[in-house]
């Protein structure tokens, strides 16, 4: 009975967080099983601390507009979809969830504390501007910054693996990753892909594929330096 209760609770959380088509979409894009998709969702949610952030945003009911709350929650869902897709492609899906989380958490925590030192000036200014926009709508500074930085935090997954396989320090590869991405305008390309309007399912799949390929190219460049 314990297993059934856990499975039911996890299923409810996943559907509430990500929507009814999340599992089907991940399966279609990656060929993963339901078990693997669920594992990826659980790992990513823990790494990015989405439970706490989600609750803090929900507690802003009647304090900020519903439009702003939905905007922030949508940013969280996009990050979780992207990160879950990454984990299904590159993570160790048969590893216990707690062990998988422990691999990536140190890098995530390092980026959280030092993101301003790793980003180039123009990108850090964009992050500050987005944070300020949320704050101007009544969102507390800490929540606004965490939501605004989700896209910048996504590379923690690649960086954690690079640091492990290449035996390099996290601060060195993180600084190089962001600065090289800016120099080669890879982040500009990512923005163009993300901003492409999709009108059907196949276009959504194509956009996700382009985004994955760009992420992989940036990672590949890092591993040969």
């Amino acid at each position: 009975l314990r297993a059934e209760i856990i499975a039911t609770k996890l299923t409810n959380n996943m559907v509430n967080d990500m929507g009814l088509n999340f599992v089907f979409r991940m399966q279609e894009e990656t060929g993963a099983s339901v078990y693997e998709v669920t594992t990826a969702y659980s790992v990513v949610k823990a790494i990015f601390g989405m439970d706490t952030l989600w609750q803090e945003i929900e507690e802003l009911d009647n304090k900020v507009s519903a439009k702003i709350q939905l905007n922030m929650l949508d940013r969280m869902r996009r990050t979780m979809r992207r990160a879950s897709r990454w984990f299904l492609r590159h993570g160790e899906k048969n590893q216990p969830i707690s062990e998988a989380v422990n691999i990536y958490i140190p890098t995530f925590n390092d980026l959280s504390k030092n993101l301003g030192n790793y980003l180039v000036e123009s990108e850090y200014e964009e992050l500050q501007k987005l944070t300020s926009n949320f704050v101007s709508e009544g969102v507390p500074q800490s929540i606004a910054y965490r939501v605004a930085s989700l896209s910048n935090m996504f590379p923690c997954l690649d960086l954690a693996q690079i640091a492990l396989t290449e035996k390099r320090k996290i601060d060195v590869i993180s600084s190089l990753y962001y600065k090289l991405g800016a120099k080669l305008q890879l982040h500009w390309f990512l923005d163009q892909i993300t901003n492409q309007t999709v009108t059907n399912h196949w276009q959504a799949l194509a956009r996700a594929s382009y985004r994955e390929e760009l992420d992989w190219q940036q990672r590949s460049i890092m591993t040969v330096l």
Side-chain angles (χ1 to χ4, degrees):
L1 183 59
R2 179 175 181 271
E4 285 78 3
I5 292 174
I6 293 174
T8 300
K9 179 65 174 178
L10 180 57
T11 300
N12 287 337
N13 287 343
M14 188 161 56
V15 171
N16 290 338
D17 291 348
M18 307 304 297
L20 290 171
N21 71 335
F22 171 70
V23 173
F24 173 77
R25 180 173 175 178
M26 290 293 105
Q27 286 185 288
E28 189 173 35
E29 292 179 2
T30 66
S33 66
V34 173
Y35 169 79
E36 290 171 336
V37 173
T38 304
T39 298
Y41 158 82
S42 301
V43 170
V44 165
K45 189 174 183 179
I47 293 171
F48 285 82
M50 292 298 194
D51 258 338
T52 302
L53 183 56
W54 195 289
Q55 182 179 351
E56 290 176 348
I57 292 174
E58 287 186 335
E59 290 174 354
L60 295 177
D61 285 353
N62 302 316
K63 298 178 182 178
V64 302
S65 70
K67 181 179 179 181
I68 293 298
Q69 282 180 295
L70 291 174
N71 183 319
M72 292 190 291
L73 293 175
D74 188 50
R75 287 175 179 273
M76 293 174 64
R77 289 190 184 97
R78 287 204 303 269
T79 299
M80 288 189 66
R81 279 198 300 269
R82 187 179 175 195
S84 295
R85 190 183 300 113
W86 182 97
F87 189 82
L88 290 170
R89 299 285 194 196
H90 310 296
E92 178 52 66
K93 296 181 285 294
N94 295 320
Q95 193 173 35
I97 292 174
S98 59
E99 291 183 15
V101 171
N102 289 337
I103 291 175
Y104 302 99
I105 279 290
T107 302
F108 180 88
N109 290 338
D110 182 84
L111 292 187
S112 297
K113 296 176 183 177
N114 302 299
L115 193 57
N117 297 326
Y118 299 149
L119 293 176
V120 298
E121 184 177 353
S122 60
E123 291 183 342
Y124 187 61
E125 288 176 354
E126 290 180 12
L127 171 58
Q128 290 180 309
K129 181 179 179 181
L130 181 55
T131 301
S132 297
N133 289 342
F134 282 130
V135 171
S136 68
E137 296 289 345
V139 180
Q141 172 74 25
S142 62
I143 298 176
Y145 179 81
R146 285 155 64 195
V147 173
S149 64
L150 284 173
S151 180
N152 301 110
M153 294 297 297
F154 169 76
C156 76
L157 302 172
D158 271 325
L159 294 174
Q161 282 197 352
I162 294 172
L164 182 64
T165 58
E166 302 295 321
K167 295 180 173 54
R168 299 185 182 183
K169 294 183 178 179
I170 291 175
D171 59 341
V172 174
I173 61 171
S174 296
S175 181
L176 182 59
Y177 181 94
Y178 289 108
K179 290 176 173 56
L180 184 63
K183 184 68 175 180
L184 298 178
Q185 296 189 316
L186 299 182
H187 302 162
W188 178 86
F189 277 109
L190 178 60
D191 287 340
Q192 307 316 303
I193 294 171
T194 302
N195 292 334
Q196 284 295 311
T197 302
V198 295
T199 58
N200 58 56
H201 177 66
W202 301 112
Q203 290 178 354
L205 290 177
R207 184 174 65 179
S209 179
Y210 285 137
R211 195 156 42 205
E212 280 187 61
E213 180 62 24
L214 185 62
D215 290 335
W216 180 253
Q217 292 301 327
Q218 186 167 1
R219 172 179 173 148
S220 298
I221 293 171
M222 286 293 302
T223 58
V224 299
L225 291 176

